[in-house]
């Protein structure tokens, strides 16, 4: 099965994972707006229709609420649907399906079954897509018992985590980043990831940078610069937000005793708040400084390039936060 | 069993009606038992009863085959009991016991039995409709020859997912049977003040087959549902079946219904589906004593289920905590 590792763009890694999952299991189907003939807005489903047919790769009308609900019904009737929602902002239209239906079916039906579906959707800024096409809403979903939420930062994880999400018996929200689609990387299709496991991207001894998605690269940039100043930052890629790898975060803190959490979503009530609160409660004795957060300001994502630049997370902001903790 | 009533002989009609009467009696008596249990505070939360709407549950269930699936709504006791839900599991669930079909986590608004293709009652108005669409899609992709049924009330006509589902079901020619129980009420408001168009016009707008039937006439519902299910099963695409009925009780049990005029319910008992079926059966030559005997046996089954529910343990908190995610995988 496993071929030699090859270089793929992040979007190609997604489509390769879908292709391989569909070839491996006939229960896997792909649903979404323009996923079939058009190959997806970001071309992440290109080639699937030709390879697997219109029965299993289905263009839907622009009806997010019913598409995602239909995935729940299909999952309860023996399929493993993978739904694409074109921009994460549009999950607002499908929140009943996600929050009241997909997330709760297993629990409220007494464990009779589960809902093996995946909702793929891109978040994030950088394309001047404006306030309704740039949001990072993953914290909403991580707050809902019954959902799992993952967010790959590179092509290998895009592949491995998507295979894991499709294999998972519970509903998984698979968050991609629009700004990463063109990024290249080596992908080994034989490699598997476990949902809930973080990865140490760069080891270090002086401070831990915890991040996920596109800001992992921002943290690496900051870490390079810090290394020039004699500060060794450890960079941890969460990969999975719900469940998140608390053990890995606490273990890293025990090595570095300082921590900064970095994400593109707005700071207030965000994923970082959960991590900081847990670290305070369970890692307090390891802390040599307050845990800080670097995240977007509490405002909608703006459109103009100059405004979006101000909103985005830059390595400088990470450096500043790290210096505060030293 | 697929309904063949239309062309059948009088004896066959009597058999069919007797089977429907049995199902309706089971549903009625189960809900009357719930009335008492609720009044005695033996049912936590709240319940929505379908008393007076039993002909729809019995009629539609008679048209379904083993592989078929259904999604229902908050007023779904009749649908699931008619489909064959275990009485013990049903009462235990609604009374919040460990042996309930959903381990006491769902209650009246979420009763489900996936083995019977019951994909759950639903607490969100209209939410089951697109879930049934997805189930129909699965039947279609998996070639099960199954039909998915969406039960909804007329209040759900104002929900966007109904309109989205009508569109997708029509575009994709899904094996979907959409059953509207039109009792005239959207919770506390008459549907005439809630929704501007008749369901028939909606079905026509999407080019879907539509049937309208007296929802208090069990044989008529069974015939219409049988024809619709057969059409959906054999490639005819989604079917809309509107059953006109009455909501005899309140939106929820205990609802004082101050918003309703007394005159609206006048004469409703004459249209009662059980009363109608009973008169028809007697006219067809069945013995009153035989019906009474059957009703008594059904009542005994319900009493036994209620007694078993009372005797069952309360669910442990740990058992619930363990089922937020599927055990045995990373969570």
């Amino acid at each position: 099965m496993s071929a030699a590792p090859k270089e793929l763009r992040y979007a190609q890694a997604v489509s390769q994972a879908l292709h391989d999952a569909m070839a491996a299991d006939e229960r896997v189907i792909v649903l979404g707006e323009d996923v079939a003939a058009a190959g997806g807005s970001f071309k992440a489903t290109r080639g699937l229709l030709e390879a697997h047919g219109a029965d299993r790769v289905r263009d839907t009308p622009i009806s997010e609420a019913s598409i995602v609900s239909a995935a729940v019904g299909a999952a309860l009737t023996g399929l493993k649907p993978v739904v694409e929602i074109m921009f994460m902002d549009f999950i607002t239209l499908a929140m009943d399906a996600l929050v009241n239906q997909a997330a709760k079916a297993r629990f409220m039906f007494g464990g009779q079954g589960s809902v093996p579906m995946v909702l793929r959707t891109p978040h994030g800024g950088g394309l001047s897509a404006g306030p309704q096409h740039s949001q990072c809403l993953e914290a909403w979903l991580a707050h809902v018992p019954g959902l799992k939420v993952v967010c790959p930062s590179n092509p290998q994880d895009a592949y491995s985590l998507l295979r894991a999400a499709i294999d998972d018996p519970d509903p998984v929200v698979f968050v991609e980043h629009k700004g990463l689609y063109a990024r290249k990387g080596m992908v080994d299709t034989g490699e598997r990831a476990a949902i809930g496991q973080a990865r140490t991207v760069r080891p270090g001894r002086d401070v831990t940078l915890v991040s996920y998605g596109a800001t992992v690269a921002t943290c690496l940039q900051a870490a390079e610069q810090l290394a020039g100043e004699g500060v060794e930052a450890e960079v941890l890629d969460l990969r999975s937000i719900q469940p998140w790898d608390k053990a890995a975060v606490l273990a890293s803190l025990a090595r570095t005793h300082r921590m900064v959490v970095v994400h593109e979503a707005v700071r207030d009530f965000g994923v970082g708040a959960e991590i900081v609160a847990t670290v305070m409660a369970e890692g307090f004795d390891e802390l040599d400084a307050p845990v800080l957060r670097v995240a977007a300001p509490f405002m909608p994502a703006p459109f103009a390039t100059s405004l979006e630049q101000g909103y985005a997370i830059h390595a400088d902001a990470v450096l500043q936060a790290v210096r505060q903790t030293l | 069993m697929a309904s063949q009533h239309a062309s059948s002989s009088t004896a066959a009609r009597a058999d069919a009606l007797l089977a429907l009467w049995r199902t309706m009696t089971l549903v009625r008596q189960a809900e009357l038992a719930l009335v008492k249990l609720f009044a005695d505070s033996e049912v936590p939360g709240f319940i929505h009863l379908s008393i007076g709407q039993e002909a729809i549950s019995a009629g539609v269930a008679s048209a379904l085959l083993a592989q078929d699936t259904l999604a229902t709504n908050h007023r779904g006791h009749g649908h699931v009991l008619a489909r064959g839900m275990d009485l013990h599991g049903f009462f235990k669930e609604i009374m919040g016991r460990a042996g309930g079909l959903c381990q006491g986590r769902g209650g009246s608004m979420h009763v489900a039995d996936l083995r019977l293709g019951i994909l759950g009652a639903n607490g969100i108005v209209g939410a089951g409709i697109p879930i049934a669409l997805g189930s129909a899609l699965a039947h279609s992709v998996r070639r099960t020859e199954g039909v998915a049924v969406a039960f909804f009330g007329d209040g759900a006509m104002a929900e966007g997912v109904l309109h989205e589902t009508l569109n997708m079901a029509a575009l994709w020619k899904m094996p979907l049977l959409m059953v509207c129980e039109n009792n005239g009420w959207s919770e506390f408001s008459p549907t005439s003040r809630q929704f501007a168009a008749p369901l028939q016009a909606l079905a026509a707008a999407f080019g879907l087959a539509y049937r309208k039937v007296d929802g208090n006439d069990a044989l008529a519902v069974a015939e219409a549902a049988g024809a619709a299910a057969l059409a959906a099963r054999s490639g005819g695409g989604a079917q809309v079946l509107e059953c006109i009925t009455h909501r005899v009780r309140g939106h929820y049990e205990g609802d004082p219904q101050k918003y309703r005029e007394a005159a609206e319910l006048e004469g409703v008992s004459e249209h009662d589906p059980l009363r109608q079926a009973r008169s028809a059966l007697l006219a067809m030559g069945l013995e009153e004593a035989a019906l009474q005997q059957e009703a008594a046996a059904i009542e005994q089954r319900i009493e036994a289920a209620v007694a078993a529910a009372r005797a069952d343990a309360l669910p442990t908190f740990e058992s619930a905590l363990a089922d937020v995610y599927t055990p045995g995988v990373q969570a």
Side-chain angles (χ1 to χ4, degrees):
Chain A
M1 284 286 284
S2 176
K6 56 184 170 184
E7 186 171 64
L8 293 178
R9 293 184 188 275
Y10 184 96
Q12 290 172 319
V14 168
S15 59
Q16 186 71 51
L18 291 170
H19 179 82
D20 292 352
M22 293 187 84
D25 187 344
E26 63 181 13
R27 293 172 297 176
V28 179
I29 64 164
V30 169
L31 285 174
E33 296 159 13
D34 291 319
V35 295
S41 287
F42 296 98
K43 304 300 170 202
T45 54
R46 187 146 58 179
L48 294 177
L49 174 67
E50 294 73 13
H52 304 285
D55 218 26
R56 293 177 66 201
V57 184
R58 197 173 285 256
D59 279 330
T60 64
I62 305 170
S63 307
E64 287 82 2
S66 294
I67 298 165
V68 182
S69 296
V72 176
L76 287 170
T77 314
L79 294 183
K80 294 179 128 188
V82 182
V83 180
E84 177 178 303
I85 295 295
M86 210 178 264
F87 287 84
M88 191 174 205
D89 314 71
F90 310 161
I91 63 162
T92 50
L93 295 153
M95 284 308 252
D96 176 62
L98 278 172
V99 175
N100 292 319
Q101 313 301 335
K104 291 173 181 57
R106 175 177 178 79
F107 179 85
M108 74 188 181
F109 299 161
Q112 288 182 53
S114 53
V115 181
M117 62 173 279
V118 177
L119 185 144
R120 289 180 41 243
T121 191
H123 74 172
L127 304 184
S128 278
Q132 295 177 343
H133 289 71
S134 307
Q135 294 169 88
C136 296
L137 301 176
E138 56 275 10
W140 288 10
L141 304 172
H143 193 64
V144 179
L147 295 180
K148 295 178 181 177
V149 183
V150 299
C151 186
S153 69
N154 59 74
Q156 178 66 62
D157 284 349
Y159 181 88
S160 310
L161 280 172
L162 185 49
R163 293 299 304 269
I166 294 169
D167 284 345
D168 198 284
D170 295 314
V172 181
V173 179
F174 188 85
V175 184
E176 299 162 14
H177 195 288
K178 297 189 272 295
L180 293 178
Y181 279 130
R183 186 160 301 182
K184 287 179 181 168
M186 295 304 289
V187 174
D188 179 350
T189 57
E191 201 176 304
R192 290 288 176 273
I195 291 174
Q197 276 184 12
R199 186 171 65 102
T200 304
V201 185
R202 178 195 169 107
R205 58 170 192 270
D206 298 319
V207 61
T208 300
L209 302 177
V210 177
S211 192
Y212 59 87
T215 47
V216 170
T218 315
C219 289
L220 284 171
Q221 276 176 29
E224 286 291 318
Q225 210 162 325
L226 286 164
E229 300 168 15
V231 175
E232 286 301 325
E234 180 151 297
V235 179
L236 208 61
D237 179 356
L238 282 179
R239 305 201 288 182
S240 174
I241 297 163
Q242 178 60 263
W244 64 281
D245 196 342
K246 193 166 75 176
V249 170
L250 290 171
S252 179
L253 178 70
R255 286 191 290 275
T256 65
H257 308 290
R258 291 177 168 80
M259 184 171 284
V260 176
V261 184
V262 183
H263 58 59
E264 187 176 326
V266 295
R267 190 186 64 187
D268 306 46
F269 295 89
V271 171
E274 175 65 25
I275 295 168
V276 173
T278 304
V279 164
M280 290 298 288
E282 300 182 34
F284 188 73
D285 291 345
E286 298 288 353
L287 284 170
D288 286 346
V291 187
L292 297 181
R293 289 174 288 167
V294 176
F298 196 58
M299 65 190 285
F303 153 71
T305 310
S306 59
L307 295 176
E308 202 183 30
Q309 277 296 307
Y311 179 87
I313 307 303
H314 300 286
D316 278 353
V318 180
L319 287 173
Q320 260 184 36
V322 168
R323 286 180 187 130
Q324 272 189 61
T325 68
L326 292 173
Chain B
M1 297 299 107
S3 171
Q4 299 291 336
H5 308 309
S7 59
S8 55
S9 67
T10 307
R13 283 177 68 82
D15 282 350
L17 185 56
L18 181 61
L20 292 167
W21 174 85
R22 284 189 188 113
T23 305
M24 291 196 290
T25 302
L26 175 78
V27 173
R28 172 71 55 90
Q29 293 196 2
E31 288 205 315
L32 289 174
L34 285 174
V35 167
K36 184 162 187 323
L37 291 167
F38 186 81
D40 294 345
S41 300
E42 289 197 71
V43 171
F46 38 91
I47 52 175
H48 309 79
L49 299 180
S50 63
I51 286 172
Q53 303 183 185
E54 295 88 347
I56 304 164
S57 294
V60 173
S62 75
L64 302 184
L65 301 179
Q67 70 268 31
D68 295 340
T69 47
L70 68 91
T72 176
N73 57 11
H74 60 286
R75 204 176 298 285
H77 299 156
H79 309 142
V80 298
L81 290 173
R83 179 61 172 159
M85 182 174 275
D86 173 63
L87 267 183
H88 286 77
F90 173 84
F91 275 102
K92 287 178 179 195
E93 182 57 32
I94 293 180
M95 292 168 73
R97 302 299 164 135
L101 268 164
C102 303
Q103 314 293 325
R105 301 195 209 128
S108 163
M109 278 192 285
H110 305 292
V111 282
D113 188 340
L114 297 182
R115 293 163 305 181
L116 296 174
I118 299 169
L119 309 178
N122 215 303
I124 310 292
V125 170
I129 302 169
I131 289 176
L133 170 77
S135 187
L137 174 63
H139 287 308
S140 161
V141 171
R142 295 176 61 208
R143 315 225 186 284
T144 66
E145 297 184 349
V147 169
V149 181
F151 282 105
F152 57 100
D154 42 317
M157 289 201 288
E159 287 280 5
V161 288
L162 172 80
H163 303 250
E164 295 182 359
T165 299
L166 286 167
N167 180 45
M168 274 190 266
L171 278 173
W172 296 347
K173 285 195 170 301
M174 284 288 112
L176 178 65
L177 175 54
M178 303 178 69
V179 179
C180 178
E181 291 181 292
N182 188 342
N183 62 25
W185 286 93
S186 298
E187 299 190 357
F188 311 114
S189 299
T191 300
S192 55
R193 284 198 293 142
Q194 294 273 311
F195 197 67
L199 183 59
Q200 180 164 14
L202 283 187
F206 292 98
L208 290 175
Y210 168 88
R211 290 172 177 79
K212 185 174 186 172
V213 69
D214 174 357
N216 295 333
D217 180 340
L219 265 181
V221 175
E223 283 169 11
L230 186 65
R233 204 182 302 285
S234 45
Q239 311 280 315
V240 178
L241 176 62
E242 183 170 19
C243 307
I244 306 300
T245 184
H246 298 95
R247 195 181 80 196
V248 174
R249 301 184 84 87
H251 169 51
Y252 60 90
E253 188 56 10
D255 174 5
Q257 301 197 73
K258 288 186 177 152
Y259 50 88
R260 258 175 128 171
E261 306 274 345
E264 189 213 322
L265 283 169
E266 270 173 28
V268 157
S269 64
E270 285 161 38
H271 298 293
D272 182 87
L274 272 155
R275 189 169 154 170
Q276 286 191 62
R278 183 189 176 83
S279 302
L281 284 169
L282 295 177
M284 287 169 175
L286 269 92
E287 300 278 335
E288 170 125 30
L291 292 181
Q292 274 176 6
Q293 206 176 347
E294 289 216 44
I298 290 169
E299 202 166 348
Q300 275 178 11
R301 284 177 57 205
I302 288 165
E303 280 170 8
V306 170
R310 277 198 192 106
D312 196 6
L314 299 176
T316 65
F317 187 69
E318 290 69 26
S319 71
L321 202 57
D323 252 339
V324 178
Y325 295 97
T326 304
V329 295
Q330 182 72 41

